[in-house]
Amino acid sequence: YTLLETSGGKITGNGNSGNISGTRVGNTITVTTQTSFGSFGPYTWQLNGKTITGTFSVWCVSNTGNTLLAQGDATLTMTRP
């Protein structure tokens, strides 16, 4: 995923599994994800310097990608360059 922050603290992002949208207030980022299987979240992440930590939705799909087999949350840690 690539996350971008626009003016006013609006967060957007996209990747091969869906789109992210949300906001940043201070060091708290709140986002939801929109996928072909529906919307997940909201999730709250904390920004500490160059590192974001929190949880994020993960899922397992069929080989064809048409069926959601399982969904859950995983710990997220991202560090920007």
Side-chain angles (χ1 to χ4, degrees):
Y1 280 95
T2 298
L3 297 179
L4 300 172
E5 181 178 354
T6 61
S7 63
K10 182 178 177 183
I11 303 292
T12 59
N14 59 40
N16 62 357
S17 298
N19 295 316
I20 294 174
S21 62
T23 58
R24 180 185 62 80
V25 176
N27 289 334
T28 301
I29 300 169
T30 303
V31 298
T32 58
T33 60
Q34 183 63 46
T35 73
S36 59
F37 300 108
S39 182
F40 297 94
Y43 297 97
T44 301
W45 302 340
Q46 294 300 313
L47 176 62
N48 183 6
K50 292 185 175 187
T51 302
I52 297 173
T53 57
T55 59
F56 197 72
S57 180
V58 293
W59 51 87
C60 178
V61 297
S62 64
N63 286 339
T64 61
N66 296 328
T67 304
L68 179 64
L69 301 175
Q71 186 271 331
D73 294 341
T75 300
L76 169 74
T77 301
M78 294 190 297
T79 302
R80 63 182 177 172

